[in-house]
Amino acid sequence: MVNSIGINYGQIANNLPSPEDVVPLVKSIGATKVKLYDADPRVLKAFANTDVEFMVGLGNEYLDKMRDPTNAQAWVKENIQPHLPATKITSIFVGNEVLTLNDTSLSDCLLPAMQSVHAALLNFGLDKQVTVTTTHSLAILQTSYPPSAGAFREDLMDPLCETLNFHQKTGSPFLINAYPYFAYKGNPEQVPLGFVLFQPNQGVTDPQTHLHYDNMLYAQIDAVYSALASLGYKKLPVHISETGWPSKGDEDEAGATPENAEKYNGNLIKLMSGQTGTPMRPNSDLNIYIFALFNENMKPGPTSERNYGLFKPDGTPAYPLGITPNNVVGRNTTVGGGSFGNAVTNPYYPMSSSTGYMSISSAR
């Protein structure tokens, strides 16, 4: 079993280094996976012959256009085919957190767009090496606590099951964006900081399975596994396409400090090197993409949105992670990448005596 950690390579900034200068930076943290929110040819060319795997994105603004198989064919021919096999593009995610945007003009286009892109890959003989998927906010869950009771929102069931059938037929993974930071920010007095930062704490025990959880991220992942299993998709692989912790925030953004960001991301990387899965799936590979490679100065929203980076734009660490490539890669762990794109997602975790402090509402 090899757990893979990724790092988000977002580019919503006007002060980032060139893609050529990013290559050694990515390698310095032992990264073998990168996730982009587009198919930037400069980045894909810069990483040619590096063995770094890429997940590239088609933004929500492309969904309507990609319903047309002709457009999808042209996009794959222009943006994917020329870079293979020199650059290891392994996946395309079509749309970002579409189902929780409550926009039927987008959600109605999601599956047709995914199908068109997959058909284009099939036509080029690339469908075996490049999968098609989409990313979801954790707010697609109606219930997340205890993890064994994980369930999807009833109002999203139809479009969700359509995409799940697609995943099952094509062998592509289910991608979820999970941020324990939002749980802490929403209830800093009730949510134990150690539980969200992978530090020693009492943890929680699922009353149904009696499985013990000492960190929230793994509890969230298992809630997704439970939700999938309840619909008959027990074998579908789950990848965490985004998770992270900001090193700076506004006054009302509790916990957004360099110290907490260092603990969250540093401890997560070290935890992944232990080659263990979640309590519910101890033998399943974990593919986790940390958000993000850089602080991005042009992102909208609160201060935290511009301060998720492991690195400052000049390439210096935003804070010490306490890891080296040797003690990461040497233990069969990879650090990969991804990016947050233009979407800002803040699932709200309300307190509830009936569901516990890890419950998630669909409110945005």
Side-chain angles (χ1 to χ4, degrees), residues 8 74 87 107 122 133 155-156 222 230 237 245 273 292 306 341 356 358:
N8 291 293
T87 304
S107 57
L122 193 65
T133 183
D155 61 314
L156 300 179
D222 277 357
S230 71
W245 197 284
S273 71
R306 293 174 288 284
M358 286 190 294

Side-chain angles (χ1 to χ4, degrees), residues 236-252:
L236 203 63
V238 174
H239 295 182
I240 303 304
S241 42
E242 288 180 15
T243 191
W245 197 284
S247 59
K248 186 179 180 182
D250 296 320
E251 284 186 15
D252 62 346

